[in-house]
Amino acid sequence: MNFDPYFVRPRQKIDLRNWEPDDTHAWKGSDKAVTELADLTAKLESLQEQLYCESKHRLLVVLQGMDTSGKDGVIRKVFEGVNPQGVRVASFKVPTPIELAHDYLWRVHSQTPGKGEMVIFNRSHYEDVLAVRVHNLVPENVWKKRYNQINEFERLLVEEGTTVLKFYLHISRDEQKERLLERIETPEKNWKFNPGDLEERKLWPEYMAAYEDVLNRTSTEWAPWYLVPADKKWFRNVLISSVIVETLKGFDMKYPTPEEDLAPYAARLRAGE
Ligand code: AMP
Ligand code: MG
């Protein structure tokens, strides 16, 4: 699919009120999208295998969004079928005392992908200019410096060979209400409900302002954001999957070829060795 409309250009001014969370672009319904996702899933599977075998590129996928925006759903659905050997999820929760004793990027840097690896960040260093800002966990003059620090940190990753893709899952406050109710009213989903989510929900406008600053200040040539309308799960999935598949295709990967002729080994095995 054409995901260009959802690419946040560097220095583009984003006003989230102008971005419809239930936008589905040219797609009228989910049927075709579901077929397309199945096709993308198969492609992702083989591209990820090549990523792993080639052991040359590194891919970092950052997922950010409000509670219930679908970060876990993306991990489940978009990465269905990939080989767990080459893929890792890193979830960033409220920092531990040890993490808090360090700079905020310390816990993040150690989780970045190695060669051949794909790492998905479920939340990320962006919490340090989101939750931290909204809850006044550090003074303004401290979090304000972080946009530049984050851009420079990501520049380092990219210059050293990592590809960074960042997705902001944009849901409406109404859709969040439905999803929270579902978590409360479906026994199998109760475990996902956290009473604290209601406190976070009260801070919706503050979070939207903080997300706008993130999108406006940290979508760079080297590590761009995609603004993903996320009220419709099928649209969210197909959009993210398309971006990842296209990015991996761009690596122009090949299965490694052996440095020597392997035929003699086959001959030896057949001869009884
Ligand atoms: P969940 O992703 O639903 O398991 O929730 C994780 C919680 O940790 C969220 O409420 C985040 O806002 C919070 N969190 C993650 N990173 C940080 C951070 N650096 N500082 C403060 N809170 C954080
Ligand atoms: Mg949660």
Side-chain angles (χ1 to χ4, degrees), residues 5-263:
Y6 307 99
F7 176 80
V8 180
R9 286 184 300 284
R11 291 171 297 281
Q12 182 178 356
K13 185 89 189 78
I14 298 290
D15 179 342
L16 283 174
R17 285 168 304 184
N18 300 332
W19 292 77
E20 292 300 335
D22 64 355
D23 175 23
T24 56
H25 195 47
W27 304 75
K28 295 282 177 285
S30 62
D31 291 6
K32 283 216 181 82
V34 169
T35 318
E36 169 116 359
L37 184 63
D39 182 48
L40 286 164
T41 304
K43 288 195 173 108
L44 181 61
E45 192 180 337
S46 82
L47 285 162
Q48 185 262 322
E49 188 180 64
Q50 288 179 41
L51 183 82
Y52 182 70
C53 300
E54 223 192 27
S55 197
K56 195 166 142 193
H57 301 272
R58 315 169 167 112
L59 182 67
L60 174 61
V61 175
V62 173
L63 299 177
Q64 279 289 161
M66 298 294 284
D67 290 316
T68 75
S69 62
K71 301 179 290 297
D72 297 315
V74 167
I75 294 168
R76 240 186 0 258
K77 284 300 290 182
V78 172
F79 296 93
E80 201 171 68
V82 296
N83 179 352
Q85 282 228 86
V87 180
R88 188 157 52 81
V89 176
S91 298
F92 295 94
K93 308 277 183 187
V94 175
T96 63
I98 291 179
E99 288 169 347
L100 279 176
H102 293 78
D103 70 85
Y104 68 99
L105 292 173
W106 178 75
R107 67 171 182 167
V108 175
H109 203 164
S110 63
Q111 296 286 350
T112 54
K115 284 183 177 164
E117 227 186 352
M118 189 188 289
V119 172
I120 305 148
F121 277 7
N122 184 348
R123 303 189 191 266
S124 64
H125 42 303
Y126 285 97
E127 291 293 328
D128 293 284
V129 285
L130 290 163
V132 166
R133 163 178 167 174
V134 166
H135 291 283
N136 297 310
L137 299 180
V138 300
E140 179 168 347
N141 67 334
V142 173
W143 61 254
K144 276 218 154 143
K145 290 197 189 110
R146 293 184 172 174
Y147 300 101
N148 270 336
Q149 292 165 350
I150 287 172
N151 286 341
E152 289 311 311
F153 166 64
E154 291 175 355
R155 192 206 296 271
L156 162 83
L157 296 179
V158 172
E159 284 181 355
E160 288 283 317
T162 301
T163 299
V164 182
L165 296 174
K166 303 183 294 198
F167 298 97
Y168 160 60
L169 311 187
H170 186 45
I171 56 160
S172 62
R173 202 164 177 272
D174 284 346
E175 180 64 19
Q176 189 192 56
K177 180 180 176 179
E178 294 309 313
R179 294 186 187 182
L180 286 174
L181 282 170
E182 205 180 317
R183 288 183 179 182
I184 295 168
E185 289 163 358
T186 313
E188 293 76 19
K189 291 193 177 174
N190 286 171
W191 66 274
K192 279 196 138 193
F193 180 71
N194 170 3
D197 293 350
L198 291 191
E199 298 308 311
E200 295 294 281
R201 182 173 162 77
K202 284 188 195 150
L203 297 167
W204 194 273
E206 287 82 356
Y207 268 108
M208 289 305 106
Y211 268 109
E212 273 176 1
D213 277 347
V214 162
L215 295 166
N216 286 323
R217 295 174 189 207
T218 65
S219 202
T220 53
E221 282 88 3
W222 54 94
W225 278 102
Y226 289 85
L227 206 168
V228 181
D231 273 8
K232 297 280 185 287
K233 295 174 181 172
W234 55 268
F235 182 73
R236 167 201 86 192
N237 292 342
V238 83
L239 173 51
I240 294 177
S241 188
S242 299
V243 174
I244 295 173
V245 166
E246 279 312 306
T247 302
L248 288 170
K249 276 190 193 160
F251 290 172
D252 197 20
M253 297 179 288
K254 299 192 175 48
Y255 283 100
T257 45
E259 284 167 14
E260 55 175 332
D261 182 14
L262 299 183

